[in-house]
């Protein structure tokens, strides 16, 4: 509470959660007097969980490999820099990951590379320094000019020099998944192009799923705890998927003001939008959704004393691992239910609802054709069920309760909805 000291509080709590960077300011001048960071220690456990899924690190049973510890510490360094960034007045810059990791004020996703021999390389997972945009922002906010300098002109020059180097700023309102349209600014994403990166992440996920087995948990851990390790791996692409979804109907723009010479708005090229759609659909193919048989045979029902938590999948099968719920979770972000919800959504424009309704009708016709041709009973059951859902929906959308797919387990630190968003300075 002492106004004279800037502090970083290392906080332990029951579950993982956001960290915070806040400051005390002089209300008369806006001057920042004191910085105060609250850093959640459980982030480290989460980073271990992510690494355990990707690395299958416990070859010899219990030893935590150096590179796994290094990865967690690298993430922690980024987090500390991020929160301190908030205390000195910096907001999020979510386009930085598309501009060569230009800011610690982005939310970083581990950047995994694939070596030529098909193994995963996590040596560059997190950056080890502050970014080029951070230097621009501090230079702009804190630069002292000598007497007689034309301050407005010099400040303008700091920004235009940054733009010329391919660095600019896009923040929360244009990056969070609901309601934003910028095709390059997202949370927990990587790379210049969201579509390419989604394809890449699906490959990374595929490699790690193929390697998944006993070495993903320590000696002495119940086999049922493999599920906790599997969750972040199986949903490894969940945020990049949101990024690729925003390329659909995406709108590129800058925070331009009159006279600054920045470019105007551009609608994302239709061809790129189709590429995004195709990448999204690739995440819900049976091949992408199936959990390897050898993994399924390893995961028993929950062990005594280890009940389901928000770190596990929501299941239809009680204590037993539910492979179909996992697939339902991953595909629920993309499919028929959402199309019907869109067609019935009173908040959507009539034109959008009309197109969604048209496409549902086309899908119904296609299902009827498949019904006549399909010989596989399980496929046929699925086709008929989908058709019946659509028929009821078309008869009277208001009376159909679209069965929502099971909710995904908790995502970025907690919760999934906007309600759980803890404020602009959380991470
Ligand atoms: Zn933040």
């Amino acid at each position: 509470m002492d106004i004279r000291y800037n502090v970083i509080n290392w906080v332990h709590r029951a579950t993982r959660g956001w960290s915070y960077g806040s400051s005390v300011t002089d209300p008369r001048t806006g001057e920042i007097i004191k910085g105060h960071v609250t850093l959640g220690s459980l982030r480290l456990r989460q980073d271990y969980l992510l690494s355990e899924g990707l690395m299958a690190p416990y070859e010899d049973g219990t030893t935590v490999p150096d590179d796994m510890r290094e990865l967690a510490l690298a993430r922690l360094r980024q987090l500390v820099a991020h929160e301190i960034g908030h205390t000195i007045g910096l907001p999020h810059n979510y386009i930085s990951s598309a501009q060569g990791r230009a800011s610690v004020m982005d939310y970083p996703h581990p950047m995994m590379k694939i070596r030529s021999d098909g193994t995963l390389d996590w040596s560059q997972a997190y950056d080890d320094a502050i970014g080029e945009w951070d230097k621009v922002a501090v230079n702009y906010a804190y630069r002292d000019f000598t007497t007689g300098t034309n301050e407005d002109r010099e400040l303008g020059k700091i920004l235009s020099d940054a733009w010329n180097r391919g660095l600019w700023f896009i923040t929360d309102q244009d990056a969070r998944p609901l309601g934003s349209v910028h095709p390059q600014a997202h949370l927990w994403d990587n790379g210049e192009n969201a579509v390419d990166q989604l394809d890449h992440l699906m490959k990374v996920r595929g490699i790690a799923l193929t390697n998944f087995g006993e070495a993903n948990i320590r000696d002495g851990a119940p086999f049922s705890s493999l599920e906790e390790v599997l969750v972040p791996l199986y949903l490894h692409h969940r945020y990049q998927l949101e990024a690729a979804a925003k390329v659909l109907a995406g709108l590129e723009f800058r925070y331009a003001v009159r006279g600054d010479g920045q470019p105007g708005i551009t609608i994302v090229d239709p061809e790129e939008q189709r590429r995004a759609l195709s990448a999204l659909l690739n995440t819900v193919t049976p091949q992408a959704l199936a959990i390897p048989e050898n993994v399924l045979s390893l995961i028993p029902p929950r062990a005594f004393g280890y009940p389901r938590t928000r770190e596990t999948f929501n299941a239809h099968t009680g204590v037993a691992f539910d492979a179909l719920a996992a697939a339902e979770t991953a595909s629920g972000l993309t499919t028929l239910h959402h199309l019907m919800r869109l067609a019935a959504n009173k908040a959507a424009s009539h034109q959008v609802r009309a197109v969604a309704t048209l496409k549902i009708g086309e899908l119904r016709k296609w299902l009827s054709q498949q019904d006549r041709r399909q010989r596989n009973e399980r496929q046929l059951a699925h086709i008929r069920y989908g058709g019946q859902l659509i028929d009821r929906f078309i008869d009277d959308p208001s009376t159909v309760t679209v069965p929502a797919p099971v909710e995904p387990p908790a995502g970025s630190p907690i919760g999934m909805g906007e309600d759980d968003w803890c404020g602009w300075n959380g991470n």
Side-chain angles (χ1 to χ4, degrees):
M1 299 296 285
D2 192 323
I3 199 71
R4 293 171 298 176
Y5 302 107
N6 302 303
V7 293
I8 296 175
N9 279 341
W10 179 246
V11 178
H12 307 300
R13 48 189 165 195
T15 59
R16 64 196 167 96
W18 301 97
S19 293
Y20 299 91
S22 47
S23 38
V24 178
T25 56
D26 183 331
R28 298 164 300 182
T29 62
E31 181 191 3
I32 295 171
I33 299 168
K34 168 197 165 82
H36 189 131
V37 170
T38 305
L39 213 59
S41 67
L42 262 97
R43 165 71 60 149
L44 280 169
R45 283 187 187 280
Q46 192 62 19
D47 292 326
Y48 267 25
L49 202 60
L50 290 173
S51 310
E52 284 167 340
L54 289 165
M55 295 179 180
Y58 304 116
E59 282 298 333
D60 69 353
T62 52
T63 313
V64 174
D66 284 344
D67 49 359
M68 180 165 146
R69 186 179 291 106
E70 280 309 313
L71 186 141
L73 288 173
R75 175 69 186 93
L76 192 61
R77 271 183 224 112
Q78 285 287 296
L79 181 63
V80 178
H82 178 108
E83 302 307 342
I84 291 176
H86 281 316
T87 68
I88 62 173
L90 303 184
H92 294 136
N93 186 1
Y94 290 118
I95 202 167
S96 305
S97 52
Q99 296 175 345
R101 305 212 270 201
S103 176
V104 296
M105 302 313 292
D106 205 330
Y107 284 4
H109 197 266
M111 190 186 282
M112 307 296 290
K113 302 222 164 108
I114 302 173
R115 296 191 193 93
S116 53
D117 65 358
T119 57
L120 294 178
D121 171 4
W122 42 79
S123 59
Q124 309 287 312
Y126 296 107
D127 206 353
D128 60 358
I130 63 168
E132 289 305 306
W133 175 260
D134 301 323
K135 295 175 193 169
V136 172
V138 170
N139 195 13
Y140 186 94
Y142 287 90
R143 167 72 59 197
D144 272 335
F145 295 103
T146 50
T147 318
T149 307
N150 182 334
E151 192 165 323
D152 283 346
R153 196 180 63 202
E154 290 306 312
L155 286 174
K157 192 168 173 312
I158 289 173
L159 285 184
S160 58
D161 284 352
W163 299 334
N164 290 338
R165 290 163 56 208
L167 301 170
W168 55 91
F169 168 71
I170 299 287
T171 195
D172 290 81
Q173 68 195 47
D174 300 303
R176 292 193 179 266
L178 291 181
S180 71
V181 296
H182 201 290
Q184 280 194 306
H186 321 288
L187 284 59
W188 315 110
D189 70 323
N190 267 322
E192 204 173 313
N193 182 291
V195 182
D196 292 343
Q197 192 63 26
L198 179 57
D199 285 339
H200 173 71
L201 281 202
M202 291 306 284
K203 288 191 190 119
V204 168
R205 173 182 177 271
I207 291 169
L209 274 176
T210 305
N211 296 336
F212 199 88
E214 290 191 19
N216 289 72
I217 53 171
R218 299 182 207 208
D219 272 358
F223 272 113
S224 64
S225 67
L226 277 170
E227 183 175 345
E228 279 88 332
V229 184
L230 183 63
V231 165
L233 171 59
Y234 190 77
L235 300 175
H236 186 64
H237 58 305
R238 68 193 292 178
Y239 301 110
Q240 197 63 44
L241 188 123
E242 290 175 350
K246 280 179 56 197
V247 172
L248 297 176
L251 198 61
E252 257 179 271
F253 61 95
R254 310 255 193 106
Y255 297 144
V257 297
R258 185 176 174 189
D260 72 4
Q262 290 197 84
I265 61 172
T266 324
I267 293 173
V268 174
D269 181 57
E271 205 41 55
E272 178 67 2
Q273 295 194 41
R274 284 190 197 98
R275 225 166 61 83
L277 185 59
S278 160
L280 289 168
L281 291 175
N282 282 339
T283 69
V284 291
T285 61
Q287 194 188 13
L289 293 172
I291 295 173
E293 287 287 340
N294 63 314
V295 175
L296 290 178
S297 63
L298 270 179
I299 308 181
R302 304 299 300 171
F304 174 65
Y306 294 81
R308 290 194 172 281
T309 66
R310 61 183 177 190
E311 306 291 351
T312 57
F313 287 113
N314 291 307
H316 299 300
T317 52
V319 292
F321 179 73
D322 186 343
L324 292 182
E328 204 177 315
T329 301
S331 61
L333 303 165
T334 327
T335 51
L336 174 64
H337 296 130
H338 285 274
L339 197 55
M340 291 200 274
R341 278 187 177 171
L342 179 61
N345 186 349
K346 292 194 171 70
S349 80
H350 288 298
Q351 180 64 14
V352 167
R353 292 177 64 182
V355 172
T357 307
L358 176 76
K359 291 298 165 189
I360 290 170
E362 287 176 9
L363 185 60
R364 182 68 187 94
K365 261 189 213 156
W366 182 84
L367 285 171
S368 300
Q369 288 161 3
Q370 297 304 308
D371 192 321
R372 287 194 288 278
R373 289 177 199 153
Q374 186 56 247
R375 297 283 172 267
N376 178 312
E377 193 179 66
R378 282 186 296 179
Q379 289 279 1
L380 190 62
H382 198 69
I383 286 165
R384 292 231 171 123
Y385 181 63
Q388 280 166 15
L389 272 183
I390 294 177
D391 287 346
R392 282 170 49 208
F393 181 79
I394 288 175
D395 274 354
D396 186 356
S398 68
T399 60
V400 176
T401 313
V402 178
V406 289
E407 286 291 321
S412 54
I414 40 173
M416 281 299 292
E418 292 288 288
D419 292 344
D420 296 305
W421 173 28
C422 298
W424 68 276
N425 58 351
N427 182 342

